[in-house]
Amino acid sequence: MTGKPDRVDAVIIGAGASGAAAAKVLTERGLRVVALEKGPWRTKESFGGDELANVNRYNLWPDPILNPRTSRTSPEVAAEVDPFCPVPQMVGGGTVHWQGWLPRFTPNDFRLRTVAGDLAGTTLADWPITYEELEPYYDAVEWAFGVSGQAGANHFEGPRRRGYPCPPMPQSRYAEKFHDGCAKLGWNSFPTPQAALSQPFNGRPATVVSAFAQQHGDPTGTRSSALNVFIPDAVATGRYELRPESYVRELVLDDRGRIKAAVYEDAAGVMFEQEADVFLLACGAVETARLMLMSTSARFPGGLANGNDLVGRNVTFHEYSASVATFDDPIYAWAGGGYVSASSFQFYEHDASRGFVSGGHIAAAGVGIPLPINWGLPGKPTWGVEAKQVDRDYFNHSMAVAMVLHDMPQHDNRVDLDDTVVDAWGLPVARITLIPHENDLAQGRFLVDRCGEILEAAGGKDVTKVYAEKVTGNCSHQHGTARMGDDPDTSVTDRHCRTHEVDNLFIVDGSPFPTATGANPTLTIMANAWRVAEFIVTSKGNR
Ligand SMILES: Cc1cc2nc3c(=O)[nH]c(=O)nc-3n(C[C@H](O)[C@H](O)[C@H](O)COP(=O)(O)OP(=O)(O)OC[C@H]3O[C@@H](n4cnc5c(N)ncnc54)[C@H](O)[C@@H]3O)c2cc1C
């Protein structure tokens, strides 16, 4: 049986960061929107600090038995099942239990090809939009979502029209050490802009500072997340219908080659066809590419809007790697500092004298905290008396300084469909083929060395450097699979993130990002989704 609910103005597939931001704008501007979200709609009462359930038993992460992915390091080898770049699949998406660091990209991020020139083996490209074009939307998201930070503290940030709605969060012990180390080295550092409220704002209470939000969800409902802010905003308009546990399997075309309907299956296994004027993909860059590739037709035998075989290519994931150290005095990260952090963009901008392209965001973090079961230092014994002694000696005394690797886009690094592995619904899973570029590895070594220097300058002992030797998707950041550009031969979407080949299909997650940049992407993902949603509203009469 196939149900046919009433046609609406817009269907958004995915209710994570980008889908929620777009829903807020579209509904507040008068459109009727249906959101189809694969996962459940969890409430704050269902979150808590059960580490075994949340982290080890996939209560909040995608279960690799139900939702596997596969990965490989060469097209010649068989891909293996691997929870590559996992992001929670539920209403709120990745923001349900995230860290919530929200730096802006810098102006040069939008023109790296111009700044750094050609890099052999990569598809480095400028964005078709500039920082200046996105700046009003950065501002809109920071103020609507609720971000705490200190304007001007990051000396490398682009111009901004005003400061943050809230001052920085109270400083954690490891943020204090980070600032101290940077100051001794003469490097700029700043309080990491945080998806949290340091004081009541916009009718919301101040955020309860707890180490048990990242990886565990937020039982207080006070952090800034899609679940706590943009989705309630859209619901309040009365024009937003969010259908959880609605897994979109395919987008089907009408006679004119436009999207007619999203075909989805609900929790009871019933199939539906939801029609609309426009469709927005907000599944995250991996699942968006997968859904496009699964949506084949006579017009698009290789996948939706994929006439040039670019859907899924140029995928980038960042990589999170760190130096770690111990301190004589306690860090107490578990006691409430959580992931309130300190950052530096000192080695973010491109500098040709370093011998590689670009750089990345460096920031402080507690080691393995708030995850006492899963915590560990490199080489830590895992069992017995020795393991217990290491816990006693170091659990309270360790910290990391980590970096976000700006990995380069490459044509052959891609997401496609695995022809041997299916998910629990019988659909082919995403297969990731990825070989890091030498630039990625050189940049990673350089940044991890700088992380170690900060720890040493702050008085850290036994500094251990953990270099990124491959890209494993450990950041849960994903971009590039439907890159935007002005040239339809070299891009999937135009500057408005509308696919070149299907004019009522927009992509609002990280898929259109031509480059990964070296910063956490979600503020930019939401700002861009806001921009695209405004374009959809203002261009409505022209479609
Ligand atoms: C532990 C953790 C910490 C993080 N910390 C940070 C941070 O500090 N700063 C930062 O910038 N980013 C951070 N991130 C990354 C951030 O969560 C993502 O960048 C962000 O959520 C991406 O938004 P999105 O809308 O593209 O996708 P998501 O938020 O992943 O939402 C996509 C949604 O689409 C749904 N979906 C997928 N396929 C389908 C389908 N076929 N049908 C229906 N629904 C579908 C999924 O279930 C999901 O809910 C973190 C992520 C994790 C997991």
Side-chain angles (χ1 to χ4, degrees), residues 361-380:
H361 174 196
I362 289 176
V367 172
I369 290 168
L371 305 172
I373 297 168
N374 289 282
W375 99 283
L377 288 172
K380 172 185 179 275

Side-chain angles (χ1 to χ4, degrees), residues 148-150 153-154 168-169 171 179 189-194 341-343:
S148 295
Q150 188 182 340
N154 175 4
M169 299 294 287
Q171 195 163 252
H179 287 308
S189 65
F190 58 94
T192 312
Q194 195 78 39
S341 192
S343 294

Side-chain angles (χ1 to χ4, degrees), residues 12-21 35-40 60-62 69 85-103 105 192-195 213-216 223 226 243 245-250 263-265 281-288 290-291 294 318 339 361 427 474-479 508-511 519-526 529:
I12 304 177
I13 302 166
S18 60
L36 302 172
E37 165 54 49
K38 179 179 178 182
L60 298 179
W61 291 104
R69 281 179 183 157
C85 196
V87 185
Q89 295 186 342
M90 56 185 67
V91 173
T95 72
V96 168
H97 63 75
W98 66 343
Q99 216 154 243
W101 294 351
L102 294 182
F105 292 175
T192 312
Q194 195 78 39
Q214 211 257 22
Q215 309 258 359
H216 295 293
R223 293 188 105 203
R243 297 186 197 140
E245 302 192 69
S246 298
Y247 184 8
V248 178
R249 304 168 63 102
E250 189 185 3
V263 178
Y264 71 93
E265 183 175 348
L281 291 177
C283 304
V286 171
E287 293 301 316
T288 280
R290 174 176 173 235
L291 180 55
M294 288 195 301
H318 290 162
Y339 281 78
H361 174 196
L427 298 173
N474 69 357
C475 257
S476 298
H477 300 168
Q478 40 187 269
H479 346 77
V508 292
D509 51 35
S511 310
N520 314 62
T522 313
L523 179 72
T524 307
I525 288 175
M526 292 190 287

Side-chain angles (χ1 to χ4, degrees), residues 398-412:
S398 55
M399 72 171 261
V401 173
M403 57 91 188
V404 175
L405 180 73
H406 181 172
D407 52 336
M408 294 291 121
Q410 301 179 65
H411 183 73
D412 291 335

Side-chain angles (χ1 to χ4, degrees), residues 151-200:
N154 175 4
H155 294 173
F156 301 88
E157 191 180 60
R160 50 165 55 244
R161 64 193 52 211
R162 58 178 163 166
Y164 288 97
C166 295
M169 299 294 287
Q171 195 163 252
S172 59
R173 291 293 290 269
Y174 51 80
E176 220 171 87
K177 298 247 176 253
F178 183 90
H179 287 308
D180 181 39
C182 285
K184 287 188 173 134
L185 292 161
W187 299 346
N188 172 246
S189 65
F190 58 94
T192 312
Q194 195 78 39
L197 302 180
S198 57
Q199 60 191 28

Side-chain angles (χ1 to χ4, degrees), residues 72-75 121-123 309-310 312-315 408-416 431-435:
R72 58 183 179 172
T73 50
S74 152
T122 73
T123 50
D309 186 30
L310 280 179
R313 293 188 179 275
N314 300 303
V315 67
M408 294 291 121
Q410 301 179 65
H411 183 73
D412 291 335
N413 282 351
R414 69 186 300 193
V415 175
D416 65 1
R431 174 175 62 183
I432 289 109
T433 305
L434 196 139
I435 308 171

